[in-house]
Amino acid sequence: MPQITVGGLGLRYHLEGPEDAPVVAFSNSLGATLEMWDALVPALTGRYRTLRYDTRGHGRSETRDRPVAIADLAGDLAGLLDALGIGRAHLVGLSLGGMTVQALASADPGRALSATLMATAAFLPSLQSWDERAATVRAQGTAAVVEATLGRWFTPGFAERAPETVRAVRERFLACDPAGYAVCCGAIGRMDLRPALGAITAPTLVIAGRDDPSTPPAMAEEICGGIAQAELVVLPRAAHLLAVERAEAVGGYLRAFLDRAAPGA
């Protein structure tokens, strides 16, 4: 997959689909890569052009080992769109990616044809816990937190039903650059997007997993309460990485929402 330089950082991306179709840009979760969307993208085939990329410090995207804010990650996404000549897009993100989308859609409302926010939050304390996780990963690598993370990402029994899927997610998590992971932990810990939610004017879909211990439905409800055009879906039998575990259901909701949100885009 190609790489493009944005703000001095090389970002790996994958752009596919009809060249004249509206673009749907996907932003990944902390510790994941653009491949997390593999099973969901087919739901959009033929109708939309899809753009996926590795967040800085993840997959094959570069990073700098210095503090960043969610606004910086939103700047990466905006810069990627600019570099590819994409003026407006449907923005989709999960967890950290959903925070990135909130930041971009609120700071530059004209960018977003719509916003889809999956398993995410506008505020996710505590700073101390995020700093402790960052310190652990810096010292021991992502292997130190992989079991706890996968326990939050999937519902009980999913690993037995889909062992190859979970194995691939695990391998990509273990390959995540410790510094890249750590600086993103710092960005989440210092984030408070709640005051900016009212600036999001695009149609917005918020999807929460009923069984998500990381960003439970109450956090999705808080986001919806701050956005004028937001609608909420609470997905049963879904934990945090719901775009992987429930890809077919999530893809169906996303496709229907995009078709309603900007059918002529």
Side-chain angles (χ1 to χ4, degrees), residues 129-216:
S129 67
W130 286 106
D131 283 347
E132 288 173 352
R133 189 192 302 192
T136 297
V137 169
R138 284 185 180 279
Q140 304 174 45
T142 53
V145 298
V146 65
E147 296 305 330
T149 298
L150 294 184
R152 295 188 296 269
W153 279 8
F154 301 114
T155 57
F158 182 70
E160 288 71 33
R161 297 193 301 272
E164 293 302 320
T165 297
V166 174
R167 184 176 297 114
V169 170
R170 177 191 296 271
E171 289 174 353
R172 295 182 185 113
F173 186 88
L174 291 172
C176 187
D177 176 68
Y181 186 95
V183 297
C184 287
C185 285
I188 296 171
R190 290 161 177 78
M191 170 196 73
D192 187 354
L193 295 168
R194 293 174 296 180
L197 292 175
I200 299 176
T201 57
T204 301
L205 173 64
V206 183
I207 304 179
R210 183 177 295 167
D211 307 305
D212 181 0
S214 297
T215 52

Side-chain angles (χ1 to χ4, degrees), residues 91-93 101 114-120 202-208 223-224 227 229-234 250 252-258 260-261:
L91 306 178
V92 181
V101 168
S114 71
T116 300
L117 311 172
M118 302 181 185
T120 193
T204 301
L205 173 64
V206 183
I207 304 179
I223 292 172
C224 284
I227 300 174
Q229 296 195 68
E231 57 187 89
L232 174 64
V233 170
V234 179
V250 173
Y253 281 117
L254 177 61
R255 171 69 182 258
F257 168 70
L258 294 178
R260 296 194 311 272

Side-chain angles (χ1 to χ4, degrees), residues 58-74:
H58 291 65
R60 297 181 185 172
S61 288
E62 298 173 348
T63 192
R64 298 187 186 94
D65 191 0
R66 67 188 192 198
V68 300
I70 297 296
D72 298 312
L73 304 184

Side-chain angles (χ1 to χ4, degrees), residues 13-166:
Y13 72 95
H14 185 51
L15 180 62
E16 62 183 332
E19 294 188 3
D20 60 346
V23 173
V24 183
F26 293 88
S27 187
N28 58 272
S29 170
L30 176 69
T33 64
L34 62 80
E35 283 84 4
M36 66 168 282
W37 305 106
D38 282 355
L40 189 151
V41 165
L44 308 183
T45 298
R47 175 69 176 88
Y48 295 94
R49 187 163 173 78
T50 58
L51 170 64
R52 294 177 283 158
Y53 72 103
D54 289 337
T55 296
R56 64 164 73 186
H58 291 65
R60 297 181 185 172
S61 288
E62 298 173 348
T63 192
R64 298 187 186 94
D65 191 0
R66 67 188 192 198
V68 300
I70 297 296
D72 298 312
L73 304 184
D76 291 345
L77 176 52
L80 177 62
L81 294 172
D82 285 341
L84 295 172
I86 300 169
R88 305 182 71 204
H90 297 283
L91 306 178
V92 181
L94 188 147
S95 192
L96 175 63
M99 299 165 193
T100 300
V101 168
Q102 290 174 69
L104 179 55
S106 59
D108 190 357
R111 283 278 189 185
L113 292 169
S114 71
T116 300
L117 311 172
M118 302 181 185
T120 193
F123 179 64
L124 195 58
S126 71
L127 174 58
Q128 179 181 351
S129 67
W130 286 106
D131 283 347
E132 288 173 352
R133 189 192 302 192
T136 297
V137 169
R138 284 185 180 279
Q140 304 174 45
T142 53
V145 298
V146 65
E147 296 305 330
T149 298
L150 294 184
R152 295 188 296 269
W153 279 8
F154 301 114
T155 57
F158 182 70
E160 288 71 33
R161 297 193 301 272
E164 293 302 320
T165 297
V166 174

